[in-house]
Amino acid sequence: MSSEKQEVYEHNGLPVDLEHKGSDASSSLNGDTQADYADEKLRVLGQVNPHYDHDLTWTPAEEKEVVRIFDLKILSWIGVMFFFLQLDRGNMSNALTDNIMVDLGVDLNTMTLGTTVFILFFCFFEIPSNLVLRRAGAHRWIPFLMVLWGLATAAQLWMHNKATFLICRAFVGMFEAGYIPGIAIYLTTYYKRQEMALRMSIFWSTLAIANSCAGVLAYFILQLRGTAGLAGWKWLFLIEGVATTFVGALSFFILPEGPTATRGYLRFAGYLTERQELIAITRLIRDDPSKADPSKKIVPKADIWRAVKSPRIWPNLLIGFFGLLPSTPIGGFAPLILKMLGFNGLKANLMTIPGFLLGLAVMSLVSYSSDKFNERAFHGAAATFYYACCVAGLALLPIGTDKVNLYICLIFAMGGSTCWHPVNAAWIAGNTAPVGKRTIALAMYIISVNLTAIAGANVFRNNDAPRFIKGMWVLFGSLLITISLFIFQRYHLLYINRKRALATKNWTTEDWKRYDETTTDIGDDRLDFVFQV
């Protein structure tokens, strides 16, 4: 019986919100009769999960308490893990303010090549890493990856020339692959679709916190130059790499497998009562029945192909590519830009902190508003417009402008660099089913936003320093494309929703039953899947 129900689940991804009968998600099932049929269908699908109780009711306060526990126990530790990921990803920009290029005998173009190597290995191993994660479980695979990239980061202290530099960057990129989309998939096992943008914002907010702290840490660690015969940048990689390895090892005992497996190890008596576990699972399945199957599976090849060829995913991937193109040159090279403008190298790291903190505030505001109003496209377009104005300001300031004015404009530009990023990631996660296809789609998204870093790392060239005016106009153009893509995707998905609603407008219960029995449509390809816009 169990395997039969799993087959039904795999071929009926029906994300309708039956807890709220008047919602848009249920509007494609016409009238009370169709809603009753969908309710019964959800009962069958939910039975795949032993913790699903179709007749369970709860108060808003009870659900709020469950979400609060997830925020405090799960999301907070994930934030700690991401904090160290970003330290390891961003410490190379801090090392640039030390004498790393002189010590390695390389120039800025070689450092750019190192960024390219890192990204290529990161992208190449992104999907394979997520395929393993789906089988092994995020609670095991993600801590394992963290230990490996922590060791690879610490090993960079042995870099001594161009070859060892490129090899180390390759290993760090390879081991960091899979972490971000893996975490996004992991969070969908705790949060509903309309809760994801804010949680992804909180997750990515640790990026801003890490970047802010990175400048402070780098300021003090780099002053260890000469201690024990090591350069300051070597101390930076060693200390942050060892710390990451420790946190990764600790995560094996802190991250639970899911909402119903929180007891044991450093979680002690667990996070939820038995009733809270039922609420946690039931609310998720009512929001998205594709989350009903609790088993670990190999992602079917068909799901990989469905994700790759889906015309509904690619606009979001292009949004990530063009929208984050400015992040690498503006954020990654900010300390170096400030140093070129005449600020002290060590203080240049500290001076980037206000930009990262502003980015945290803007990103949190955009994501909170997006979840509150259950709207994605206009929020993303508006946030990108703010970013584009700041980049244009950097390009339009006249030659000879006081460096303090340039610094202020740079800070405002850094504040908009990733402010819509969580909204787009949540948009993809909420609009993609079943789970296997969602896993690949999020991996593709992270690949797209990392591939853009290759292009972004080559926008600022030596002959355009230190203002990089030509480069700024290139970045401005990419942001205009991003705004257009946000608007296009909104009306693209609205068109599909209306087309499906029109096609099923006069369907009876028997028509829906016949559709379920004969269709080969799965997940978001089904006629009863309603896309978020």
Side-chain angles (χ1 to χ4, degrees):
M1 185 171 106
S2 176
S3 61
E4 181 180 347
K5 287 177 181 175
Q6 283 190 7
E7 184 68 13
V8 170
Y9 153 71
E10 286 293 331
H11 290 81
N12 291 281
L14 177 60
V16 291
D17 188 352
L18 295 168
E19 187 177 359
H20 304 92
K21 299 286 187 182
S23 68
D24 292 339
S26 61
S27 62
S28 64
L29 299 176
N30 304 283
D32 293 338
T33 302
Q34 283 76 21
D36 290 342
Y37 168 64
D39 184 76
E40 181 57 32
K41 183 176 178 181
L42 179 62
R43 181 189 295 274
V44 175
L45 295 175
Q47 289 175 355
V48 173
N49 194 303
H51 295 91
Y52 175 75
D53 186 342
H54 189 76
D55 300 315
L56 183 69
T57 61
W58 58 83
T59 66
E62 286 182 297
E63 183 173 13
K64 186 176 181 180
E65 176 63 16
V66 170
V67 175
R68 187 189 70 84
I69 291 172
F70 290 155
D71 288 342
L72 293 177
K73 302 291 187 178
I74 306 297
L75 190 60
S76 61
W77 185 254
I78 287 174
V80 171
M81 297 173 71
F82 192 52
F83 176 90
F84 283 93
L85 170 72
Q86 190 55 34
L87 279 186
D88 293 339
R89 295 193 71 180
N91 53 20
M92 188 59 68
S93 64
N94 298 124
L96 284 173
T97 62
D98 198 47
N99 292 331
I100 186 171
M101 289 193 290
V102 175
D103 292 343
L104 297 180
V106 299
D107 58 13
L108 184 59
N109 290 335
T110 300
M111 302 305 293
T112 299
L113 176 61
T115 300
T116 302
V117 169
F118 169 89
I119 294 168
L120 288 176
F121 274 78
F122 183 96
C123 293
F124 182 80
F125 287 96
E126 190 74 53
I127 290 179
S129 181
N130 276 270
L131 294 177
V132 175
L133 178 142
R134 175 80 173 123
R135 184 67 173 174
H139 65 298
R140 295 192 186 100
W141 185 241
I142 291 174
F144 178 68
L145 288 177
M146 192 169 186
V147 169
L148 291 180
W149 90 60
L151 294 174
T153 298
Q156 291 178 117
L157 73 93
W158 284 296
M159 296 188 302
H160 60 273
N161 57 22
K162 179 179 179 179
T164 54
F165 166 69
L166 296 177
I167 291 172
C168 284
R169 298 312 293 165
F171 274 107
V172 174
M174 178 173 65
F175 293 139
E176 288 186 0
Y179 174 79
I180 296 176
I183 284 295
I185 289 294
Y186 184 63
L187 288 177
T188 63
T189 63
Y190 294 93
Y191 297 103
K192 297 196 297 187
R193 292 197 296 172
Q194 64 265 34
E195 297 167 345
M196 278 296 292
L198 180 59
R199 270 68 198 185
M200 292 303 293
S201 171
I202 295 172
F203 168 62
W204 265 302
S205 69
T206 55
L207 182 151
I209 297 172
N211 286 333
S212 300
C213 293
V216 178
L217 290 173
Y219 178 81
F220 291 104
I221 294 175
L222 292 178
Q223 295 188 62
L224 292 174
R225 184 176 184 86
T227 303
L230 296 179
W233 59 267
K234 290 189 176 184
W235 278 110
L236 185 68
F237 292 136
L238 177 62
I239 292 173
E240 294 184 355
V242 170
T244 297
T245 303
F246 174 76
V247 172
L250 206 58
S251 298
F252 279 108
F253 305 99
I254 293 179
L255 282 187
E257 184 176 359
T260 61
T262 62
R263 296 174 180 85
Y265 299 113
L266 295 178
R267 300 181 297 273
F268 303 108
Y271 301 152
L272 304 177
T273 65
E274 290 186 9
R275 174 171 171 77
Q276 287 175 328
E277 289 179 352
L278 292 176
I279 293 173
I281 295 299
T282 303
R283 78 186 200 101
L284 283 180
I285 296 174
R286 287 182 185 179
D287 176 65
D288 183 354
S290 69
K291 297 177 182 178
D293 189 356
S295 62
K296 301 183 184 71
K297 294 182 178 181
I298 297 174
V299 175
K301 291 181 180 179
D303 280 352
I304 299 175
W305 179 240
R306 289 188 191 101
V308 170
K309 71 176 185 178
S310 174
R312 298 181 295 273
I313 293 175
W314 280 93
N316 292 100
L317 304 186
L318 292 175
I319 286 172
F321 183 88
F322 287 105
L324 290 180
L325 182 66
S327 296
T328 296
I330 292 180
F333 288 96
L336 188 60
I337 293 172
L338 292 172
K339 187 177 180 180
M340 288 180 174
L341 289 174
F343 294 101
N344 177 272
L346 291 175
K347 290 182 179 179
N349 285 303
L350 296 177
M351 293 176 67
T352 62
I353 293 176
F356 294 123
L357 293 178
L358 179 61
L360 169 61
V362 175
M363 181 172 62
S364 299
L365 177 62
V366 171
S367 300
Y368 172 79
S369 178
S370 177
D371 271 353
K372 180 177 176 61
F373 294 101
N374 196 26
E375 197 283 329
R376 306 302 190 205
F378 288 147
H379 281 80
T384 307
F385 178 75
Y386 159 75
Y387 192 17
C389 290
C390 294
V391 172
L394 283 170
L396 289 171
L397 285 175
I399 299 297
T401 297
D402 184 86
K403 65 181 182 180
V404 174
N405 293 329
L406 286 170
Y407 168 70
I408 293 173
C409 198
L410 177 64
I411 292 304
F412 276 99
M414 292 174 65
S417 61
T418 58
C419 57
W420 52 263
H421 191 20
V423 171
N424 198 36
W427 203 8
I428 295 172
N431 280 346
T432 312
V435 176
K437 182 178 179 181
R438 185 182 300 135
T439 301
I440 301 304
L442 286 169
M444 290 167 61
Y445 177 61
I446 299 303
I447 288 174
S448 73
V449 300
N450 279 275
L451 283 177
T452 193
I454 296 178
N458 289 278
V459 171
F460 290 172
R461 308 302 295 176
N462 284 329
N463 59 6
D464 198 24
R467 287 285 307 277
F468 303 107
I469 292 177
K470 294 179 181 178
M472 292 297 177
W473 284 119
V474 172
L475 302 182
F476 178 76
S478 74
L479 294 176
L480 293 184
I481 294 174
T482 304
I483 294 171
S484 301
L485 287 168
F486 269 116
I487 303 303
F488 167 81
Q489 182 69 331
R490 174 182 171 83
Y491 289 103
H492 173 215
L493 296 179
L494 279 175
Y495 170 76
I496 295 173
N497 285 344
R498 289 166 182 164
K499 184 178 179 180
R500 290 178 177 182
L502 183 63
T504 61
K505 181 179 180 180
N506 298 315
W507 280 21
T508 65
T509 299
E510 291 303 316
D511 292 325
W512 281 108
K513 288 182 179 179
R514 190 179 307 111
Y515 174 72
D516 289 336
E517 292 169 356
T518 60
T519 186
T520 58
D521 296 338
I522 299 174
D524 58 72
D525 290 325
R526 288 180 54 87
L527 293 178
D528 43 20
F529 190 103
V530 181
F531 292 99
Q532 292 178 311
V533 294

